[in-house]
C-alpha cells in the first residue's frame, strides 16, 4: 500500500534506551500520531514523557524498535531515503549555541544546500530567501556568536529552510531565550506555517506557545494521552495539572473569574481573547 | 551578610580588538534575607555580574564588598567567600559527575574539613531542602530525570550552607511541575533565612517570588525596585526586550478600552480583584 504523501505519521512506535547491562527504559510505548501537511502541531508533556524521542524519529536521528514512521510517504527505515527525509523534516534544537557551524551568518545558512550539491547561484538564492523569511537578511554578514539567542535560533531555522523542507521539527527552541527572543522565534515559526505552508511540529514546556498551534498532542510515559485543538485541551486543567503540566498563565485568571460568577469563556486564554470577553460582559451588564 | 557592589565595571578582552564592556558602573546593595530577581535580556551582563559576587571574576574597576570588606583585599580568602556565597550555574546538572547522588552532593562539604558524619548530615539535610527523596541518594545520577538532577546540583551548593544563594535560571527546561517544585524549594530556603538572588527570563516567576528586581540592560543597571514598580513601567520594560507578566498586559489593554483598573499589579489575585470591582462584583471568599 502506498503511504500518504500528505502526512507525517508514527504508527505503533516503540522505542527504548539502554541504560547499561541489559537495563532498559521505555521512551515510547506505542505511539500513534499523525500530522497533516501544512498543520501546526504542538507537543507538550512532562520531562521524560518521550517528546524529544518522538521528534528524533521524524528526522531519522532514531529508528523505531518496532512500529513505523513515515515522513510524507517515506518510511524512515528505508536507508536509501534517510537524507531525503532529513532534508524534508529539518530539526531545530534547544541550545542556540550548539547549532551554528560557520563564522558568518550566510555561510552557516549555506552549509546545508552546499552539502546537497546545489549549484552556487541557486545556493545564493536559497540563502537570501531563507534569511528574508526569518527576518535576518540585514545581518547576513554578521558573526553568529555576536547575535542574541533569538537571532541565533532564527539563523538555525534559516539553515533548515535553505534545504526547502516540507516540515520543521522544533524541540524546545525557546527554552533558553529571553522574552523578546521567544516572541521572535514564535512569530517566525507562525509565519512560516501560515504564509509558506510549512508543517510545524513544536515541542514546548511553555503552555502559552501551544496556543499558536492548530492541534496539541499531550504525551505522558511514552504515550499520546490527549489530543485536540489547544483551547479544548486546556479546558482539562485538572488532568493537565495531574500530569505535571499546566494551563497558560491567564487560564488561572479565567478560572478564578468563573468561580467568582463572571462567566468568561473558559477557553479565553490569551490577553486579547480575555480583553474581548471582559468588554463584551461589561457592555452587556 | 550584606553584599555591596560599587561602581562595578567589567571589560572582557581589554585592549584587544574584541574588547567588550559587559558591565558599566553598576552599584547596588543587597541586605540579609532579601529575595532579589536579576532580569535583563540575553547579553545584558547578568552572568558576568553574578560571577563577580563570589569572586569568579575580578572587576576591571569598582568594588565588591561582602560584610563591608572588599573581596579582593589582601588577606581575604576567596575559598571562604565561595562557601558563603553559593552559585548554581545554568544547566547545573551537566556538572553532576560522581558515581552516586550522595557522593555528588557531598563533594563541596567534604572540602570544608568536616567529619564524615557531619558531611552526611549535611547531604541529607540539603537533599530534604531541595525535595530529593532519600532513596535516590544511593542511585547513580544517570538514573535520575532532568528535574531530579537539577535538584542534585542545587543540593550540592545548599550543602555548603551558604548565606547567599545565587541561581542562574534554575527552572529552565523543566516542565511546569518541575519548575514549581524547584521554585517553591528555593522559596522555603529563603524563608529559612537565606539571601537569594534569582536570575530568570520568566517574568511571571520573578513577579511572584521576588521582593525586589534588579534590571540590567547592555551592562547597565537600569532599574532597581519591587516587581510592582518595575512592571508598572511597561513601556520601558518592553523597550529593553522584556515582557511584563500577562496580567499586567491584560490590565493595560483593559485601561485602553476605558476600564478604570490599576495597572500596577503583579499577580492573578490582584487582577481578579480589579476586574471584579470594575464589574461591580464582590471578590469571592477564599475557601
Amino acid at each position: 500500500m502506498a503511504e500518504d504523501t500528505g502526512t507525517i505519521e508514527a504508527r505503533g512506535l516503540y522505542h527504548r534506551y539502554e541504560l547499561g547491562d541489559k537495563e532498559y527504559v521505555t521512551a515510547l510505548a506505542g505511539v500513534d500520531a499523525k500530522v497533516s501537511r501544512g498543520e501546526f502541531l504542538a507537543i507538550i508533556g512532562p520531562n521524560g514523557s518521550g517528546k524529544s524521542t518522538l521528534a528524533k524519529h521524524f528526522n531519522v536521528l532514531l529508528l523505531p524498535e518496532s512500529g513505523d514512521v513515515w515522513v510524507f510517504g517515506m518510511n524512515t527505515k528505508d536507508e536509501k531515503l534517510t537524507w531525503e527525509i532529513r532534508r524534508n523534516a529539518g530539526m531545530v534544537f534547544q541550545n542556540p549555541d550548539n547549532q551554528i557551524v560557520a563564522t558568518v551568518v550566510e555561510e552557516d545558512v549555506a552549509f546545508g544546500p552546499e552539502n546537497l550539491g546545489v549549484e552556487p547561484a541557486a545556493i545564493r538564492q536559497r540563502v537570501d530567501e531563507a534569511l528574508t523569511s526569518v527576518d535576518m537578511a540585514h545581518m547576513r554578514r554578521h558573526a553568529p556568536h555576536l547575535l542574541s539567542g533569538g537571532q541565533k535560533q532564527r539563523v538555525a531555522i534559516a539553515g533548515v529552510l535553505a534545504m526547502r523542507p516540507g516540515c520543521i521539527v522544533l524541540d524546545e527552541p525557546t527554552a533558553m531565550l529571553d522574552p523578546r527572543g521567544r516572541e521572535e522565534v514564535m512569530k517566525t515559526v507562525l509565519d512560516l506555517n501560515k504564509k509558506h505552508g510549512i508543517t510545524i511540529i513544536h515541542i514546548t514546556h511553555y503552555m502559552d506557545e501551544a496556543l499558536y498551534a492548530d492541534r496539541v498532542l499531550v504525551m505522558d510515559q511514552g504515550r499520546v494521552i490527549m489530543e485536540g485543538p489547544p483551547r479544548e485541551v486546556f479546558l482539562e486543567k485538572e488532568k493537565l495539572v495531574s500530569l505535571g503540566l499546566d494551563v497558560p498563565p491567564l487560564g488561572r485568571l479565567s478560572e478564578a473569574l468563573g468561580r467568582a460568577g463572571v462567566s468568561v469563556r473558559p477557553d479565553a486564554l490569551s490577553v486579547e481573547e480575555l480583553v474581548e470577553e471582559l468588554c463584551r460582559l461589561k457592555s452587556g451588564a | 551578610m550584606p553584599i555591596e557592589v560599587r561602581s562595578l565595571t567589567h571589560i572582557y578582552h581589554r585592549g584587544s580588538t574584541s574588547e567588550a564592556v559587559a558591565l558599566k558602573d553598576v552599584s547596588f546593595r543587597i541586605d540579609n534575607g532579601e529575595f532579589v530577581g536579576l532580569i535583563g535580556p540575553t547579553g545584558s551582563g547578568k552572568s558576568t555580574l553574578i560571577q563577580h559576587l563570589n569572586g569568579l571574576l575580578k572587576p576591571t574597576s569598582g568594588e565588591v564588598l561582602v560584610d563591608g570588606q572588599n573581596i579582593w583585599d589582601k588577606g581575604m580568602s576567596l575559598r571562604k567567600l565561595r562557601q558563603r556565597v553559593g552559585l548554581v550555574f545554568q544547566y547545573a546538572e551537566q556538572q553532576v559527575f560522581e558515581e552516586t547522588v550522595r557522593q555528588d552532593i557531598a563533594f563541596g562539604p567534604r572540602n570544608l574539613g568536616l567529619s564524615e558524619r557531619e558531611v552526611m548530615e549535611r547531604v541529607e539535610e540539603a537533599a530534604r531542602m531541595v525535595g530529593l527523596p532519600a532513596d535516590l541518594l544511593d542511585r547513580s545520577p544517570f538514573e535520575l530525570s532532568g528535574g531530579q538532577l537539577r535538584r542534585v546540583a542545587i543540593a550540592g551548593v545548599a550543602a555548603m550552607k551558604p548565606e547567599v544563594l545565587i541561581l542562574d535560571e534554575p527552572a529552565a527546561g523543566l516542565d511546569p511541575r518541575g519548575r514549581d517544585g524547584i521554585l517553591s524549594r528555593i522559596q522555603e530556603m529563603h524563608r529559612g533565612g537565606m539571601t537569594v538572588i534569582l536570575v530568570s527570563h520568566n517574568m511571571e516567576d520573578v513577579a511572584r517570588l521576588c521582593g525586589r528586581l534588579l534590571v540590567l540592560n547592555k551592562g547597565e543597571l537600569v532599574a532597581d525596585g519591587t516587581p510592582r514598580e518595575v512592571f508598572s513601567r511597561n513601556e520601558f520594560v518592553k523597550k529593553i526586550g522584556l515582557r511584563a507578566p500577562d496580567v499586567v498586559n491584560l490590565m493595560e489593554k483593559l485601561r485602553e478600552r476605558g476600564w478604570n483598573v490599576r495597572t500596577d499589579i503583579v499577580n492573578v489575585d490582584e487582577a481578579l480583584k480589579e476586574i471584579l470591582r470594575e464589574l461591580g462584583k464582590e471578590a469571592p471568599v477564599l475557601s
Side-chain angles (χ1 to χ4, degrees), chain A residues 121-226:
Chain A
I123 289 178
R124 173 84 262 160
Q125 193 193 348
R126 285 189 181 204
V127 169
D128 289 347
E129 280 175 15
L131 283 171
T132 304
S133 298
V134 301
D135 197 18
M136 283 294 288
H138 58 296
M139 300 189 92
R140 70 180 77 225
R141 302 294 305 159
H142 283 239
H145 72 277
L146 295 176
L147 304 179
S148 72
Q151 290 169 336
K152 284 179 192 162
Q153 286 299 59
R154 285 189 284 148
V155 171
I157 293 172
V160 170
L161 279 179
M163 309 287 276
R164 304 256 161 100
C167 173
I168 304 182
V169 183
L170 304 108
D171 191 356
E172 291 192 55
T174 59
M176 296 174 78
L177 304 184
D178 60 21
R180 179 175 290 166
R182 278 184 63 198
E183 259 177 54
E184 286 171 9
V185 168
M186 289 315 294
K187 189 183 159 291
T188 303
V189 168
L190 197 63
D191 224 50
L192 293 175
N193 177 253
K194 298 292 173 252
K195 289 191 192 147
H196 301 270
I198 293 176
T199 310
I200 300 292
I201 299 176
H202 178 75
I203 298 174
T204 186
H205 281 315
Y206 287 106
M207 300 300 129
D208 49 348
E209 289 179 2
L211 290 176
Y212 292 101
D214 299 312
R215 197 159 52 97
V216 179
L217 211 115
V218 185
M219 293 191 67
D220 187 42
Q221 298 183 15
R223 288 191 174 84
V224 175
I225 56 158
M226 291 164 78

Side-chain angles (χ1 to χ4, degrees), chain A residues 94-114:
Chain A
Q94 186 180 113
N95 190 338
D97 293 317
N98 290 349
Q99 298 176 72
I100 292 179
V101 290
T103 52
V104 178
V105 164
E106 62 181 4
E107 284 171 14
D108 192 79
V109 178
F111 184 78
E114 271 169 7

Side-chain angles (χ1 to χ4, degrees), chain A residues 47 94 172 175-176 205-206, chain B residues 90-91 93 150 168-175 179:
Chain A
N47 289 114
Q94 186 180 113
E172 291 192 55
M176 296 174 78
H205 281 315
Y206 287 106
Chain B
Q90 197 175 8
Y91 293 88
E93 65 275 19
R150 188 78 57 87
D168 192 354
E169 292 280 7
L174 300 185
D175 59 33
R179 160 168 228 111

Side-chain angles (χ1 to χ4, degrees), chain A residues 47 94 178 242 244 276, chain B residues 42 91 175 177 239 257 278:
Chain A
N47 289 114
Q94 186 180 113
D178 60 21
S242 77
E276 290 312 319
Chain B
T42 310
Y91 293 88
D175 59 33
R177 179 185 288 159
K239 203 178 129 224
R257 299 281 288 264
E278 185 71 357

Side-chain angles (χ1 to χ4, degrees), chain B residues 27-47:
Chain B
S27 301
F28 60 84
R29 178 191 159 96
I30 294 175
D31 283 312
N32 288 345
E34 281 197 82
F35 195 143
V36 177
L38 179 58
I39 61 175
T42 310
S44 58
K46 304 185 298 293
S47 300

Side-chain angles (χ1 to χ4, degrees), chain B residues 139-159:
Chain B
R139 299 263 198 93
S140 156
F142 297 107
E143 293 172 45
L144 271 56
S145 73
Q148 287 168 334
L149 271 181
R150 188 78 57 87
R151 288 171 197 240
V152 173
I154 298 173
V157 175

Side-chain angles (χ1 to χ4, degrees), chain A residues 3-18:
Chain A
E3 291 304 324
D4 191 346
T5 57
T7 62
I8 292 178
E9 197 173 345
R11 227 180 280 165
L13 179 58
Y14 183 89
H15 193 89
R16 57 183 185 173
Y17 293 106
E18 191 169 354

